[in-house]
Amino acid sequence: MISNQATTEIKTPYTVNLADGDPEAKREEIRRYFHQTYDAYEALFEPMVDKKAFTTRADPLRHPLIFYYGHTATFFMNKLVLAKLVDRINPQFESTFAIGVDEMSWDDLNEAHYEWPDPDAVRDYRQKVRETIDQLISKLPITLPISWESPFWPILMGIEHERIHLETSSVLIRQLPLEMLDGAHPLWKVCEKDNPPPSNELITVPGGKVSLGKNRNDPYYGWDNEYGAHTQEIKDFAASKYLVSNREYMEFIDDGGYATQRYWTDEGWNWVTYEKATCPRFWRPQPDGSYKLRTMLKEIDMPWSWPAETNYLEAKAFCNWKAEKTGQPVRLPTEEEWYRLFDYTELPDAPSWNKAPGNINLEGPASSVPVDTHAFKHGFHDIVGNVWQHTETPIRGFAGFEVHPLYDDFSTPTFDTKHNLIKGGSWISTGNECLKASRYAFRRHFYQHAGFRYIVSDAPVEIPDDSWETDPEVIPYCEFNYGKDYFGVANYPERLAQICLDLASDRRRESALALGCKTGRSAFELAAGFQNVTGMDFTARMIRIGVQMKDKGYTQYVLPEEGEIVSFHQANLQELGLDGTRQKVDFMQGDPSNLKDIYKGYDLILLDTVLERTYNPEKFLASAHQRLNPGGLLVISSTYDWRSEVTEKDNWLGGFKVDGENVTSLDSLERVLGPAFKRIGEPRDVEYALRKTARTFEHNVTQVTVWEKK
């Protein structure tokens, strides 16, 4: 075992009310909630019997579990550092374990780029983080209610984030080889009951109005995608009494479901043929034609009365098969229809539960239970709990959606119509996950502890169009990078890249790094002269546009004109003369102040308005020579617009006085870079115009300096 001391029980209180009560009592309640969350996550890893289990990749599209063991602690630290509440404990860990939890192209899953630390070292690090946060909870000022702006919000963010990974990591453990796990661990015992599988039936749900979304005064922690407002009138529909059981799903398999293309969407059939799937992932076919089921820690005889656990693609194919067999419009519910079902059963929300009404919050076994175990009003079962329930709805923001500044890419990268919502929670869902308002979405081929119920309805399903980018923070940079020029000011990223290419014309041009590339134009421009270019920015919100351009060759975006009037635009790499560079560019997410060591060996590094957007600009500059090849160029473009809310004044490069004398940012660049670089030429000014609306712009001037590695 990796843990020095085994956990004796897992305590999972419901998420904290952040509005009511005595502030000091609330401080202690948050402290308990933090430690109980941390304990539960530690307990999840106790059944791993040797260190090899930590570094074995359970899923080829995900990191090994050592990453997730360290990730939740580094998430705490990275958000608290960003909030300027703590200093770093282990910069290497806080970079290594920072990014890579979803199947995004900017997630670095190349194992050659990682030397995973010993699990005991990660455990020691986690303990230091625990102590740091406990001390922080003690000393931070606290007032109620705790809102987005409160210094306690990032602590709650870290707690609820770890509760997400309590669940998602359990899915990965479920895919590890059995010999690496203690199948008899006392904290993770499975249900031993398998009832005769009940026959499913349809129950009518009367239509009505549903209201989704919550406001900022809601007393419980929420992720950004939960806020805003959305209402819809729902027509009458019929829903299955039970979740689809393993036995009911077996009828689909027996009828050739996995071999019949017409039941599957194009995406689903591509997945089936690629995976050569014949049954759900956690089913284990036996030589005699029977099946076993893989639970988190062991295999058991197939419990036919438990809910079938599938990905969305399989659930959708089952519904299409069922529709063909019955002649009825069978499909999965939308998010709004799930809300209507929840409301119709008059189920109170999680914070008011004295005891969980279903198999949820770890108040039952560490597995599913028979689908007829937990009854709700009107004859329905498992409105919440047992397994998550797939929906037809790709996640999107509600009207009024805003990102939280400490985690601006929690949701927006999933607003691509490729991530469908799951609702209702599973046996291991805790904290925010138990709330009616919670909204979690995964790629349609992903597995969670998720199953489904079907409905019969002829109401159309509205799928948002992914063709048009509407993120208000991103679209100005779509136009800035790929749109037209304004006021006679040349395209800034194109001009900046051309400066770099001119400087490197008689030098080695193998590899370049474009730091602060926003939506990617500078990376594509550099690739016209370099063989390999990595475009990097702080946030996935920006670089996903670059990824779209690389993958599809174009992107489309909506520009605000005046008030509610907008215009629609398409940018095309071919029209820009850059289509041939697509295969030479990759995009990654990274923090220049804590950049991984793998980013080195470059012939040119471009820093594009990065220094003024990072909390410790000198840290990157001091090590920049280590990332460049001999004779390599460092090109810096900066407005020197230092802001204390981004960079603490002690870390500014310039804009202050020392002993009565002005210190400019250029002075500090000379001081920091001088030992390893020589400056080439004089600084030059490059102006740019950033469009906000048809009549509002930012007109700025950067200073560009060039430095050659000695």
Side-chain angles (χ1 to χ4, degrees), residues 640 642 653-655 663-673 679 682-683 703-707:
Y640 307 140
W642 305 109
L653 293 181
V663 177
T664 69
S665 298
L666 184 58
D667 293 334
S668 292
L669 290 179
E670 295 277 9
R671 172 182 58 81
V672 176
L673 296 176
R679 199 179 79 199
E682 292 300 313
Q703 185 178 77
V704 176
T705 56
V706 183
W707 309 82

Side-chain angles (χ1 to χ4, degrees), residues 345-511:
T345 57
E346 301 177 25
L347 180 63
D349 208 356
S352 61
W353 298 344
N354 293 318
K355 183 179 184 300
N359 184 22
I360 195 170
N361 197 48
L362 284 171
E363 293 186 40
S367 70
S368 300
V369 299
V371 296
D372 57 355
T373 302
H374 295 285
F376 294 76
K377 284 190 175 182
H378 306 298
F380 288 104
H381 289 65
D382 290 330
I383 300 300
V384 297
N386 224 1
V387 292
W388 289 93
Q389 299 171 45
H390 291 295
T391 76
E392 295 281 8
T393 305
I395 190 170
R396 62 192 136 175
F398 296 136
F401 169 79
E402 295 180 69
V403 299
H404 193 284
L406 294 180
Y407 200 177
D408 68 352
D409 53 5
F410 175 77
S411 298
T412 51
T414 67
F415 292 172
D416 57 3
T417 75
K418 298 177 181 178
H419 293 71
N420 276 45
L421 283 154
I422 53 177
K423 302 298 291 185
S426 78
W427 56 269
I428 196 173
S429 299
T430 63
N432 169 269
E433 295 172 309
C434 294
L435 295 177
K436 176 185 179 184
S438 71
R439 306 181 78 221
Y440 296 94
F442 292 88
R443 291 181 182 268
R444 289 184 279 270
H445 64 274
F446 265 33
Y447 276 85
Q448 296 301 317
H449 304 298
F452 63 102
R453 79 171 71 243
Y454 50 87
I455 72 167
V456 171
S457 173
D458 58 6
V461 175
E462 296 180 10
I463 303 297
D465 184 0
D466 71 333
S467 300
W468 302 98
E469 178 62 40
T470 58
D471 186 329
E473 295 298 319
V474 174
I475 51 180
Y477 289 97
C478 292
E479 180 72 358
F480 181 64
N481 275 243
Y482 303 108
K484 67 180 183 179
D485 298 340
Y486 294 93
F487 310 115
V489 178
N491 182 282
Y492 168 79
E494 179 184 12
R495 186 178 176 195
L496 199 57
Q498 191 58 54
I499 290 172
C500 295
L501 293 174
D502 291 345
L503 289 164
S505 60
D506 58 351
R507 299 168 181 265
R508 186 176 185 269
R509 294 189 296 177
E510 182 65 29
S511 182

Side-chain angles (χ1 to χ4, degrees), residues 193-248:
K193 189 175 183 181
D194 182 18
N195 297 340
S199 296
N200 220 338
E201 59 185 272
L202 293 168
I203 301 174
T204 298
V205 179
K209 183 178 181 179
V210 294
S211 297
L212 287 70
K214 59 188 185 183
N215 62 44
R216 293 285 190 85
N217 295 324
D218 189 277
Y220 298 98
Y221 179 88
W223 296 104
D224 56 8
N225 61 47
E226 298 169 30
Y227 295 93
H230 173 63
T231 60
Q232 186 171 323
E233 286 288 342
I234 303 298
K235 293 183 178 181
D236 294 356
F237 63 93
S240 60
K241 178 176 183 176
Y242 305 109
L243 299 176
V244 171
S245 68
N246 288 321
R247 173 61 68 196
E248 187 173 9

